[in-house]
């Protein structure tokens, strides 16, 4: 079974130490993800605030174009032609690219997308509305209603900001901002309605009711604005309403509302009313610009805070991870280094180095291992000394045994040598005797032949000679047997002597 490469102790310590860091990294990752989402949301809020600023700029110019169109229609085209053309140019300047921005904002949610789609369609119908005004087809109220619908769609998108913005503080200020724009829109509607009335020279009951409703709507949304805005922003509105044009608008509004339906108006200078109302609305536009800047600054501040938090979390996570990694590596090194030195010392002890130095420093556990290593080193040295002594004793005993064996062998060799020499001498003597007997047997054989011939010659004494011959043959046979036995004995003695000499 194959196994992987074993992890070093340092690596294990680093891995164990980094485990909490990984958990912290996961938590930090969630926090960083939240901060990134918050940052993205604040970027979206800034985009929405920028879009609201563009819509409010278009609404402001659209309100002025609505008033100019109302005066133009009320005078049957005899007044405000040049002013209307100039105003349309200013409206087109702020309208440029607005439709594309509105369409792009549809990605901020389904509800916002519906508002964006409705406003984009209303923007597309502006040119047709202008052509109808130039042809004097609609009445002044009808034209004002068309412009009011267009501006209302844009302000509806602004009011939807509070639903698309997450942070409560910014959403509250966005709602306050939308309330102010709605109040300003009713002021613009009042400018258009009163311009037509002052141009006509009289007001019917519906016209008076319309002006009264517009005044009440302005007061309502002014109250909503003041209930949600900062005191400093409320002071800006107070300053705008305290200007001479604003006081003139209030005075002329009172004149119109105090006139009985059908009676001639005491004031009929529609262009003067339009200028005063426009100056008042321009003052409100200055307040609106402050509100827009404050809202954008607040969104930017929240975005900057989110970016700082993101940077802090990212930096802290990275710093803690690096610091933890360094501490884990340092801890692993601090623990592993004495153990590595200890392993080298133990290896040296195993190789026979009894004088190796054992590391003494480090944690308590390492010191305990060092004490055990010292004891192990001493025990190994003692065993080596005992084994050396035993080996020396064994060697001495072996030498003694060899000396005794050599001495015994020398004595045995000396004794056996004497025996061998004696046996050899006896064998030589036996061999000489055998040779002598052999010659004697030969001589006896020759003699027996001679005797046989003599016996043959002496047939007469055959019996006597035959008996003598038998006796002589028996003697010769006995002599041959003795010679053979002597030869065998000499050969055996010689072999024994050679065997003893070989040992």
């Amino acid at each position: 079974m194959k196994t992987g490469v074993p992890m070093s102790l340092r690596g294990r310590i680093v891995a164990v130490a980094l485990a909490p860091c990984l958990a912290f990294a996961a938590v930090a990752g969630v926090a960083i993800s939240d901060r990134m989402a918050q940052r993205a949301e604040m970027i979206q809020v800034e985009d929405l605030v920028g879009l609201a600023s563009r819509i409010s700029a278009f609404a402001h110019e659209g309100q002025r174009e609505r008033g100019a169109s109302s005066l133009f229609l009320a005078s049957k085209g005899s007044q405000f032609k040049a002013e209307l053309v100039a105003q349309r140019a200013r409206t087109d300047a702020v309208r440029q690219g607005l439709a594309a921005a509105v369409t792009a904002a549809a990605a901020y949610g389904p509800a916002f997308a519906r508002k964006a789609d409705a406003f984009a369609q209303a923007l597309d119908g502006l040119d047709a509305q202008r052509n109808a005004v130039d042809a004097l087809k609609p009445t002044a109220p009808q034209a004002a209603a068309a412009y009011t619908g267009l501006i209302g769609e844009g302000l509806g998108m602004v009011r939807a900001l509070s639903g698309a913005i997450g942070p409560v503080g910014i959403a509250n200020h966005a709602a306050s901002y939308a309330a102010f724009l709605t109040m300003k829109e009713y002021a613009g509607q009042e400018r258009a309605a009163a311009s037509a009335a002052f141009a006509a020279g009289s007001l019917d009951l519906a016209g008076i009711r319309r002006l009264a409703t517009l005044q009440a709507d302005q007061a309502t949304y002014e109250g909503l604005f003041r209930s949600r805005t900062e005191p400093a922003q409320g002071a800006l509105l107070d300053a705008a309403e305290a200007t001479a044009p604003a006081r003139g608008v209030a005075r002329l509004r009172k004149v119109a509302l105090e006139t009985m339906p059908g009676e001639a108006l005491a004031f009929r200078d529609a262009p003067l009313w339009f200028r005063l109302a426009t100056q008042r609305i321009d003052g409100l536009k200055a307040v609106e610009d402050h509100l827009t800047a404050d809202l954008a600054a607040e969104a930017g501040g929240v975005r900057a805070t989110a970016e700082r938090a993101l940077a802090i979390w990212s930096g802290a996570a990275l710093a803690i991870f690096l610091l933890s990694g360094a501490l884990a590596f340092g801890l692993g090194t601090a623990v592993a280094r004495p153990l590595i030195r200890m392993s080298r010392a133990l290896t040296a002890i195993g190789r026979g180095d009894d004088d190796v130095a054992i590391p003494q420093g480090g944690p308590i556990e390492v010191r305990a291992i060092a004490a055990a290593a010292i004891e192990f080193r001493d025990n190994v040295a003692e065993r080596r000394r005992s084994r050396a002594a035993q080996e020396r004793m064994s060697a001495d005993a072996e030498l003694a045994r060899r000396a005794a064996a050599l001495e015994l062998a020398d004595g045995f060799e000396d004794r056996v040598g004497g025996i061998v020499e004696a046996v050899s001498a006896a064998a030589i003597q036996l061999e000489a005797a055998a040779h002598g007997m052999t010659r004697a047997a030969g001589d006896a054989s020759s003699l027996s032949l001679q005797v046989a011939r003599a016996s043959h010659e002496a047939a007469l004494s055959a019996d006597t000679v035959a008996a003598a011959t038998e006796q002589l043959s028996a003697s010769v046979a006995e002599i041959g047997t003795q010679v053979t036995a002597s030869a065998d004995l000499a050969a055996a003695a010689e072999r024994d002597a050679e065997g003893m000499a070989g040992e």
Side-chain angles (χ1 to χ4, degrees):
M1 179 178 178
K2 295 183 178 180
T3 58
V5 178
M7 184 182 294
S8 65
L9 178 61
R10 178 185 300 171
R12 293 175 184 272
I13 293 174
V14 171
V16 171
L18 288 181
C21 298
L22 295 177
F24 174 78
V27 175
V30 174
I32 291 172
S33 177
D34 291 341
R35 298 304 181 276
M36 291 180 66
Q38 187 178 11
R39 176 180 176 273
E41 182 182 4
M42 289 306 101
I43 292 175
Q44 175 180 323
V45 169
E46 286 186 305
D47 292 342
L48 290 176
V49 170
L51 178 60
S53 176
R54 295 187 63 178
I55 293 174
S56 68
F58 173 79
H60 179 73
E61 298 301 332
Q63 289 164 356
R64 298 181 67 173
E65 184 175 335
R66 177 179 55 194
S69 298
S70 296
L71 285 174
F72 176 75
L73 291 172
S75 65
K76 304 299 182 181
S78 61
Q79 298 179 13
F80 267 77
K81 177 63 176 178
E83 291 84 353
L84 181 57
V85 172
Q87 181 55 50
R88 286 177 177 176
R90 289 191 292 270
T91 304
D92 289 338
V94 297
R95 184 177 65 155
Q96 186 176 5
L98 181 59
V102 168
T103 302
Y108 294 139
F112 207 79
R114 289 192 295 270
K115 295 285 186 181
D117 184 62
F119 184 42
Q121 291 181 3
L123 284 174
D124 291 339
L126 178 59
D127 292 332
Q129 173 65 23
R130 287 174 173 177
N131 293 334
V133 170
D134 291 339
L136 300 177
K137 291 181 179 179
T139 62
Q142 290 173 342
Y147 277 101
T148 298
L150 171 61
I151 296 169
E153 294 294 347
L155 295 180
M157 284 194 67
V158 176
R159 284 191 292 271
L161 281 175
S162 57
I165 295 175
V168 177
I170 300 179
N172 185 60
H173 291 163
S176 173
Y177 178 73
F180 182 85
L181 292 182
T182 304
M183 181 196 73
K184 180 170 167 284
E185 161 59 12
Y186 283 127
Q189 293 181 29
E190 181 187 45
R191 176 179 57 185
S195 294
F198 289 135
S202 64
L203 273 172
D204 55 11
L205 184 59
I208 293 175
R209 185 182 297 112
R210 173 67 174 161
L211 290 178
T213 301
L214 290 174
Q215 181 186 7
D217 289 338
Q218 291 181 65
T220 299
Y221 281 95
E222 179 181 349
L224 290 175
F225 167 73
R226 291 184 182 276
S227 66
R228 296 187 176 187
T229 193
E230 303 293 334
Q233 295 175 341
L236 290 175
L237 179 58
D238 292 338
E241 294 289 48
T243 61
R247 292 196 303 270
V249 167
R251 185 178 65 256
L252 293 178
R253 181 192 303 125
K254 183 178 180 182
V255 170
L257 292 176
E258 290 179 350
T259 301
M260 295 298 293
E263 292 184 358
L265 293 169
F267 178 81
R268 298 183 181 182
D269 191 351
L272 177 59
W273 158 261
F274 187 83
R275 285 195 301 272
L276 290 175
T278 299
Q279 289 173 359
R280 178 198 174 218
I281 292 174
D282 289 342
L284 295 177
K285 182 65 170 65
V287 177
E288 175 191 328
D289 292 340
H290 279 93
L291 296 177
T292 302
D294 291 344
L295 188 59
E298 185 176 7
V302 175
R303 178 183 57 81
T305 301
E307 290 178 346
R308 284 194 299 272
L310 176 62
I312 291 172
W313 271 97
S314 300
L318 180 61
I320 291 175
F321 186 78
L322 292 177
L323 179 61
S324 300
L327 290 176
F329 185 80
L331 178 62
T333 301
V335 174
R337 185 175 295 166
L339 295 178
I340 292 173
R341 292 199 298 266
M342 194 72 64
S343 67
R344 292 174 180 171
L346 293 174
T347 302
I349 293 172
R351 291 175 179 173
D353 187 359
D354 296 336
D355 297 328
V356 64
I358 303 298
Q360 299 295 321
I364 297 176
E365 293 79 2
V366 176
R367 294 182 182 179
I369 295 174
I374 292 173
E375 184 176 356
F376 172 71
R377 180 192 63 186
D378 296 341
N379 291 336
V380 170
E382 181 63 27
R383 284 197 297 272
R384 285 201 182 100
R385 287 192 294 270
S386 299
R387 187 167 57 252
Q390 292 176 358
E391 289 176 353
R392 285 194 300 271
M393 292 175 63
S394 298
D396 293 342
E398 182 65 23
L399 289 175
R401 284 195 300 273
R402 288 184 180 180
L406 289 175
E407 184 179 358
L408 179 61
D410 291 339
F412 180 75
E413 185 177 359
D414 292 339
R415 290 192 298 272
V416 171
I419 295 171
V420 169
E421 289 178 358
V423 170
S424 297
I428 291 171
Q429 292 176 359
L430 288 174
E431 185 178 3
H435 286 300
M437 290 180 180
T438 301
R439 285 193 300 271
D443 291 341
S445 179
S446 297
L447 182 58
S448 63
L449 290 175
Q450 291 176 3
V451 171
R453 283 194 299 269
S455 299
H456 183 69
E457 291 177 356
L460 297 177
S461 56
D463 295 332
T464 305
V465 174
T469 300
E470 288 179 358
Q471 294 177 355
L472 181 61
S473 296
S475 298
V476 171
E478 184 178 357
I479 291 169
T481 301
Q482 291 178 357
V483 170
T484 300
S486 297
D488 292 338
L489 179 61
E494 186 177 0
R495 283 194 302 272
D496 293 338
E498 289 177 357
M500 291 178 184
E503 291 179 358

